[in-house]
Amino acid sequence: MKRRDLLQSLAAGGLLTAAERAAARNSADNAQKVLRLALWFAETGFDPAQISDGNSNMISDAIFEAPLTYDYLARPGKLKPRLADGMPEVSADFRTYTVRVRRGVFFADDPAFKGQRREVTAADFVYAVKRLIDPRWKSPNFYVLENARLLGAVAARSAALKGGGFDYDADIEGVRALDRYTYQLRLGEPDPRFIYNLLAVQFAPVAREVVAAYANDMMAHPVGTGPFRLADWRRASRVVLERNPGYREVLYDEEAPADDPRSQEIAQRLRGKRMPFVDRVEFYVVEESQPRWLSYLNGDHDYLDGLPPEYAHTIIPNGVMAPNLARRGIQMDRLPLVDVVLSYFNMEHPVVGGYTPEKVALRRAMALAYDQDTEIRQIRKSQMIKANGQIAPLTYGFDPAFRTEASQTSLPRAKALLDAFGWVDRNGDGWRETPDGRPLSIVYSTGSTALDRQYNELWKKNMTQLGIRMEFDVNQWPEHLKASRAGKLMMWGVAWISGIPDGQAFLELGYSKNKGQANHARFDLPAYDALFERQKRMPDGPERLAILREMQRLFVAFTPYKLHGHRIRTDLTHPWVIGYRRHPYLRAFFQFVDIDTDARARALG
């Protein structure tokens, strides 16, 4: 492809305007270090209380800082303090978590503070938690507090819903500041894994003055303590972060495994240097695979967050970097994603929802008829492994020997199921009807990319073979997300990514109290709920593992979701990107990498 044609292709993909391309090329001359990358789908905003999607959380995690984080290089994942002054104190019964706050930490400068430097205190952490409870923000993360039985949280939310608004000055037993630099979280029952919530951006401090200043526009005005701050946001197009000039001194001190020479070299090169290393991080929303890949190949992006699966055989034939790319010094980082890809059925929908035998048969038949092998082999180019349950690799509770119907494809069995429960073709037109004789049509919500169209074609082909009409509702991802939370979609394909090394994050997908939050399928099965609550209180061990397996069997048996698989992610970085390693759980890596501007300038001319 000629260079002019390449630039035209990238512009057509909505990637870079002429002015942005010029700015990108001139950045080395300006001696500014800029990290550029593409997002697969649009962000929704940057208010921790209101966001739940992966991209918004990832970007927000560079602006806000939670009490805890992970060591960037340590494997397996190792928790360490971020804004906490030491690790939290956890009571013997796992009901009380006491967090001491690092002193001398300040929010980024903002007009909301009227020219004064604003130190972070325990009250800011308490305020952030209360915002998750306040129904005004419709937080999709309230389920975390509800499931943990945070004392007083449900009562405070219920009182606010009855009228009069939420009183932030009223005491809530489960979240209190003990003094200026200490706060405490108290739970109504044991929760040995609650500590992982302190990694989430939703538990980062938020200044009350900022919320008062920006009211309903909080998604566009994030003010945190992190290494970066929001400089520019063009919704669903571009996000720019810039270095926070008031960020405290944080030195690189990550622990590389002894058996990982590449991480050892990174640690030795960067240890003791002040973070962040780059001045700006620029994100471009590029949903289509071709312009995303070409922009990386051309050097307009420094990092490729997962190679497009349709190019996998060309880029990494047999799992090895192609020689022409290796000669350019391109680095590959490959790991299983801690995720599960799934298509959900809205369990409250009159057609696909419900728990009666014929409704279960419909969902199971559709799941059995879907050709997973073709998806993995032809569309994903073997960059995914089959899922037998929702719990992903690299998390506690994943068992590679565990087998269920979820990984099977059988059109004859699917047809037999529908025939047995009355989903038959009564008028001879080739399409099945509902058991009571009404027309049957499935509407699957989807995106508009070329990759989406491949999945849609496979779904339509398989459902046609089964005798079921399938139509597609095409819209932007943020719009589908909004409708999904409200329970308005019939089916939608999504992925659930975990930031913790425990399978409970995936069990949340079926817990009834998470409807409209983690539980997009709105699954509501008392037996599943009882097991969820039981395992949540238990320490790790054989008894808990047995419960995790049983919960996955129930999940597959009732099929609120069609489980597709667990993705394998291959990231690529140009040789001028220093220090990148994919972390299993930590997605916001921006403060840990450096850019060699001279090397970039030489490579790009």
Side-chain angles (χ1 to χ4, degrees), residues 109-123:
D109 291 342
D110 188 87
F113 302 130
K114 304 185 188 307
Q116 301 296 312
R117 291 196 75 194
R118 172 63 158 78
E119 187 186 17
V120 172
T121 68

Side-chain angles (χ1 to χ4, degrees), residues 522-543:
R522 311 181 86 80
F523 187 48
D524 191 343
L525 186 71
Y528 185 95
D529 285 356
L531 290 173
F532 181 89
E533 291 170 4
R534 184 178 168 196
Q535 65 80 31
K536 188 168 66 69
R537 298 188 293 267
M538 297 172 63
D540 292 343
E543 186 178 359

Side-chain angles (χ1 to χ4, degrees), residues 16-32:
L16 293 178
T17 65
E20 288 166 347
R21 182 176 297 282
R25 292 304 192 199
N26 292 334
S27 66
D29 294 337
N30 296 333
Q32 189 176 56

Side-chain angles (χ1 to χ4, degrees), residues 299-317:
D300 292 306
H301 288 164
D302 308 296
Y303 160 76
L304 186 67
D305 180 17
L307 59 85
E310 57 266 52
Y311 300 144
H313 291 170
T314 302
I315 300 170
I316 51 168

